[in-house]
Amino acid sequence: MASHSPLFAIEGRVALVTGGSRGIGRALASGLLEAGCAVVVNGRDTAALDRTRGELADATGGTVHAVAFDVTDAEAVSRGVAAAEEVAGPLDILVNNAGLQHRAPLLDFPDDAWRHLLDTNLTSAYLVGRAAARRMIPRGHGKIINICSLQSEVARPGIAAYAATKGALKMLTKGMCADWAPHGLQVNGLGPGYIRTELTRPLVDDPDFTAWVRRRTPAGRWGDPGDLIGALLFLASPASDFVNGQIIYVDGGMSSVL
């Protein structure tokens, strides 16, 4: 459903959501569709993307396209962003959501897993953000929203590598702002807390961990992917035209308390 306020009106805008076939990415794509955007969902699994595209189109009645490409490969990214604009039109909004987790003690953390996390969680945002910005800057406008994390600020045992990538993504967001804000782009981050998705299902199903999340979060619960949509729409809309280089944490208050 489109917003009634012109400050939040994004009807007719074109958005690309990386990692959009499931979890948080799928929820964010759905939120943009409900707000009236045409959305391109990205991933590497063509079958999963096509399935998501059809389900989102059926659920929202919106215009959804699927473009598969590897967000860690510079040449594939260049071709993929061009393909997204060919099928949907000039990009107004980019949501850099692609990411993954690998939990292991830091002393035993596999080197290949470290590199894979860096490529997927950080380098992909640099590559896709750069490709999108090269097209947005000549047009003088664009919104880039990097999906950071509560772990952009804090860490827990076993996720040091993930926290390193998300902390770096926070600073990449600020660096993109420094370089691209003079050209009319707004680059901000969205930092989810503990969100209930298929990827976090093992943690949700662990009664001790879920009890810890509820105790540690002032809101007293896990977040749902839909909890992120309001902040996303703010960052994607004219309401945030003078907001740049900021990270909005949607974490039920966890980052604000000891």
Side-chain angles (χ1 to χ4, degrees), residues 160-251:
Y162 179 82
T165 64
K166 291 299 187 175
L169 183 58
K170 177 184 76 170
M171 293 311 300
L172 177 62
T173 301
K174 293 178 180 293
M176 287 175 166
C177 163
D179 274 27
W180 300 340
H183 303 284
L185 275 59
Q186 290 85 52
V187 187
N188 292 288
L190 185 61
Y194 283 93
I195 305 295
R196 186 192 306 266
T197 70
E198 56 263 50
L199 294 180
T200 58
R201 175 56 58 187
L203 298 178
V204 173
D205 290 342
D206 181 333
D208 291 336
F209 193 87
T210 284
W212 175 83
V213 167
R214 289 174 175 163
R215 287 194 309 270
R216 183 68 178 76
T217 306
R221 65 174 177 86
W222 281 81
D224 293 313
D227 290 323
L228 303 170
I229 292 173
L232 170 74
L233 297 183
F234 166 67
L235 293 176
S237 72
S240 63
D241 279 354
F242 201 55
V243 178
N244 229 325
Q246 304 303 307
I247 315 297
I248 297 178
Y249 291 99
V250 184
D251 63 0

Side-chain angles (χ1 to χ4, degrees), residues 16 77-78 81 85 91 93-96 125-139 141-144 180 185:
L16 169 62
V77 165
S78 181
V81 171
E85 291 208 337
L91 287 178
I93 302 160
L94 166 65
V95 181
N96 270 320
Y126 159 68
L127 293 175
V128 184
R130 181 181 65 179
R134 284 172 172 169
R135 293 168 176 271
M136 292 173 170
I137 284 172
R139 299 193 286 261
H141 67 89
K143 303 278 188 175
I144 297 177
W180 300 340
L185 275 59

